[in-house]
Amino acid sequence: MEIGFIGLGQMGKAIATNLIRAGHRLHVWNRSPAPAQELAALGATVAAEPAEAARGQVLMTMLADDDAHRAVLIGAGVYERAPRGLIHVNLATVSVALARELAALAAQRGLAYVAAPVFGRPEVAQSGKLNVVVAGDPAAIGRIQPLLAAIGERTWPLGSSPERANVVKLAGNFMIACALEAMGEAAALVRAHGIEAGEMLEVMSGTLFASPVYKVYGRLIAEQRYQPAGFTMVLGLKDVRIALEAGQAAHVPLPFANVVRDHFLEALAARRSDYDWAALAEVSARHAGLPSAMNRE
Amino acid sequence: MEIGFIGLGQMGKAIATNLIRAGHRLHVWNRSPAPAQELAALGATVAAEPAEAARGQVLMTMLADDDAHRAVLIGAGVYERAPRGLIHVNLATVSVALARELAALAAQRGLAYVAAPVFGRPEVAQSGKLNVVVAGDPAAIGRIQPLLAAIGERTWPLGSSPERANVVKLAGNFMIACALEAMGEAAALVRAHGIEAGEMLEVMSGTLFASPVYKVYGRLIAEQRYQPAGFTMVLGLKDVRIALEAGQAAHVPLPFANVVRDHFLEALAARRSDYDWAALAEVSARHAGLPSAMNRE
């Protein structure tokens, strides 16, 4: 298929690479040009501006936050100039409000909007093993199924209203953030009693919590190793903030999200915005007076 | 081996049964007599009082809380009348303070104290697949290894200070309570947006959170099924309370534990003390104005 791809950060670049490898023809655009050039070396066409990428049957985007979506899709005229019938597959974690807004705008322009946010860190994206939660027009989802199969291990269908996939994605990222905070508090508790965080986390992630989230992040927390980041503190804060917004819109108090939000803010105040979001654990270490990556210069 | 066993609740009875099946000779005592009679039918001797069970080489206990330990081990004279050299293996989740106190008392009386708290619900105990975190005198631990192998799938050694095992056990139960709360808040968020809790929890426990805690409790939460309880709200509150105490003793703030403690209290105020602790999730549902097991009469 002929596919436009906008947004070539760590995740976007890995996904676009897998689409090229699966034999699709890509038109790529990125704000900074270097990743687009890397994909050109694999055979992609580099678009001079975002709207130029929106051709063929499908446009995939992986942009960082709601503002970037508004700037590129609306501000830079992508939706305005896209050919009628184009399927816009949004892979990013966006707010429920933005998902509704984009779906409505797409419909006005004769485009199909599919929300397909993905679970998985960059190394998972590279190996084509993402989990994709997808919602939108069933016919459009049917047509993009080969693309989703090329980037993910499994697709989880969630119905025909795109924002349903976004709500589930927000709930999932909120649960990951809670796991990070819980591991961080538990690690501080045991460390303050003379036990290494890794001794405790190894028991947990080897038994009751034997799952990717606790294994992968438990190791980062035990080793206090937060760079290079797979997913930054800034992005973690963004996702918890839009989970809180989704909660507020539907009158759902989320006390764990409030705690996590404040701990992300403290980490940003300590200038740790580019650390992996697993560093949330270091805020609890700092609060307990333990050696913490929040205190290093 | 000749083993005393005190405390035959759901967990204790299952563990004692596996010890009998492994060929050990048991002297059992329980506050209410019915479970002791069941074990007598399997070949155990029923002790007339707690101190009478403390004979042979090993005494295992599985009592509900710190108060029960003080009443039985100290108040009812078990430690006072136990034969010198007896190894007391405490399987329960007790406070760090009590673990230190019992270890010191045992040493005074010429007994060995081994902390061996277990992870796993009653059905896991029945199948002999518990995970045991163990700490105490290495020689004593070596001698009880066949017993631990009879009740658990794996033993996790944590050193020679008994309270180290208790700290890890408290951290683990705190992490489970946090997982319950996170699933509860996430479930409320998606339900308020018209998505069934099970749709979201199935994605999570099938992917990033594919582990016993999220699978087993995710299903209970999705089905809002909290009776019969594997582990009650009362016991959950007890464990979070002693985690908070362990935090206070070492100056470790635990904001997630505070949220969870208050939600357990709200559930008890709604007279749900005998629900499974997975019902913690129902407090978030109630707060969001959703149909909740906290509101049923």
Side-chain angles (χ1 to χ4, degrees):
Chain A
M1 289 172 85
E2 190 175 2
I3 306 166
F5 202 109
I6 294 175
L8 302 169
Q10 281 192 87
M11 292 294 292
K13 197 173 74 174
I15 292 169
T17 301
N18 283 329
L19 291 170
I20 294 171
R21 286 194 185 131
H24 301 286
R25 201 174 138 208
L26 260 66
H27 302 278
V28 301
W29 185 85
N30 193 57
R31 194 176 47 181
S32 65
Q37 293 306 329
E38 287 180 55
L39 288 172
L42 300 176
T45 308
V46 179
E49 52 172 332
E52 202 182 294
R55 61 167 90 167
Q57 300 111 299
V58 173
L59 170 68
M60 281 196 168
T61 59
M62 184 52 127
L63 295 160
D65 56 24
D66 280 18
D67 288 347
H69 285 82
R70 287 209 170 81
V72 171
L73 299 175
I74 305 170
V78 169
Y79 269 18
E80 206 168 56
R81 290 161 55 189
R84 292 182 68 86
L86 181 88
I87 304 170
H88 176 204
V89 181
N90 192 343
L91 303 167
T93 304
V94 300
S95 71
V96 178
L98 182 72
R100 288 204 184 106
E101 188 183 327
L102 290 178
L105 271 175
Q108 278 174 26
R109 295 264 156 208
L111 317 172
Y113 182 84
V114 173
V118 299
F119 285 104
R121 288 165 66 88
E123 62 271 22
V124 178
Q126 281 158 19
S127 59
K129 301 217 160 161
L130 295 167
N131 276 281
V132 190
V133 285
V134 64
D137 174 59
I141 292 173
R143 286 179 56 203
I144 63 165
Q145 199 57 54
L147 306 182
L148 301 181
I151 69 174
E153 181 171 63
R154 184 160 172 186
T155 300
W156 301 81
L158 285 160
S160 57
S161 300
E163 75 268 19
R164 287 172 59 90
N166 296 101
V167 172
V168 168
K169 171 65 178 162
L170 289 180
N173 276 21
F174 161 71
M175 280 174 58
I176 300 172
C178 289
L180 298 176
E181 174 67 23
M183 283 191 273
E185 295 187 21
L189 180 63
V190 301
R191 288 176 66 198
H193 282 89
I195 297 160
E196 285 183 28
E199 287 185 87
M200 181 272 296
L201 290 170
E202 196 197 337
V203 177
M204 297 307 134
S205 66
T207 58
L208 293 80
F209 290 94
S211 64
V213 163
Y214 288 85
K215 282 178 188 287
V216 171
Y217 290 114
R219 200 169 307 125
L220 298 184
I221 291 168
E223 297 172 5
Q224 298 185 284
R225 179 164 51 83
Y226 306 112
Q227 287 183 305
F231 190 76
T232 64
M233 298 297 274
V234 168
L235 292 172
L237 173 61
K238 182 262 293 181
D239 285 357
V240 170
R241 178 175 59 70
I242 59 181
L244 281 163
E245 285 172 12
Q248 179 164 334
H251 301 167
V252 183
L254 297 170
F256 266 20
N258 287 323
V259 170
V260 167
R261 193 255 324 267
D262 286 350
H263 283 189
F264 273 126
L265 290 176
E266 182 171 340
L268 296 198
R271 304 185 311 285
R272 297 302 186 266
S273 57
D274 59 341
Y275 273 29
D276 194 276
W277 68 332
L280 193 60
E282 297 297 312
V283 177
S284 292
R286 176 199 233 185
H287 290 178
L290 298 162
S292 161
M294 290 297 135
N295 295 333
R296 280 184 231 140
E297 277 315 308
Chain B
M1 289 171 85
E2 190 175 3
I3 305 166
F5 203 108
I6 294 175
L8 302 169
Q10 281 191 87
M11 292 294 291
K13 197 173 73 174
I15 292 169
T17 301
N18 283 329
L19 291 170
I20 294 170
R21 286 194 184 132
H24 301 287
R25 199 173 138 209
L26 261 65
H27 304 278
V28 301
W29 185 85
N30 193 56
R31 194 176 44 181
S32 65
Q37 293 306 329
E38 287 182 53
L39 288 171
L42 300 176
T45 308
V46 179
E49 51 173 333
E52 203 182 295
R55 62 166 90 169
Q57 301 113 299
V58 173
L59 170 68
M60 281 196 167
T61 59
M62 184 52 127
L63 295 160
D65 55 25
D66 280 19
D67 287 347
H69 285 82
R70 288 209 170 81
V72 171
L73 298 174
I74 305 169
V78 169
Y79 269 18
E80 205 168 57
R81 290 161 56 188
R84 292 183 68 86
L86 181 88
I87 304 170
H88 175 204
V89 182
N90 192 343
L91 302 167
T93 303
V94 301
S95 72
V96 178
L98 181 72
R100 288 205 185 105
E101 188 183 329
L102 291 178
L105 271 175
Q108 279 174 26
R109 294 265 156 207
L111 316 174
Y113 183 84
V114 173
V118 298
F119 285 104
R121 288 165 65 86
E123 62 271 22
V124 178
Q126 282 158 18
S127 59
K129 301 215 161 162
L130 295 167
N131 275 282
V132 190
V133 285
V134 64
D137 175 59
I141 291 173
R143 286 179 56 203
I144 64 164
Q145 198 57 55
L147 306 183
L148 301 182
I151 68 173
E153 182 171 63
R154 183 159 172 188
T155 300
W156 300 81
L158 286 161
S160 57
S161 299
E163 75 268 20
R164 287 173 58 91
N166 296 103
V167 172
V168 169
K169 171 65 178 162
L170 288 180
N173 275 22
F174 160 70
M175 281 174 58
I176 301 172
C178 288
L180 299 176
E181 174 67 23
M183 282 190 274
E185 294 188 21
L189 179 62
V190 301
R191 289 176 66 197
H193 282 88
I195 298 160
E196 285 183 29
E199 287 185 87
M200 181 272 296
L201 290 170
E202 195 197 338
V203 177
M204 297 309 134
S205 67
T207 58
L208 293 81
F209 291 94
S211 64
V213 163
Y214 287 85
K215 280 178 188 290
V216 170
Y217 290 114
R219 200 168 308 123
L220 298 184
I221 291 168
E223 296 172 6
Q224 297 185 284
R225 179 165 50 83
Y226 306 112
Q227 286 183 304
F231 190 75
T232 63
M233 298 297 274
V234 168
L235 292 172
L237 173 60
K238 182 262 293 181
D239 285 358
V240 170
R241 179 175 59 70
I242 58 181
L244 281 163
E245 285 172 12
Q248 179 164 334
H251 300 168
V252 182
L254 297 170
F256 266 19
N258 287 323
V259 170
V260 167
R261 192 254 325 265
D262 286 350
H263 283 188
F264 273 125
L265 291 175
E266 180 171 342
L268 296 198
R271 303 184 312 284
R272 297 303 186 266
S273 58
D274 60 341
Y275 273 29
D276 193 277
W277 67 332
L280 194 61
E282 297 298 313
V283 177
S284 292
R286 176 200 235 186
H287 289 179
L290 297 161
S292 161
M294 289 298 134
N295 295 333
R296 281 183 231 139
E297 274 316 304

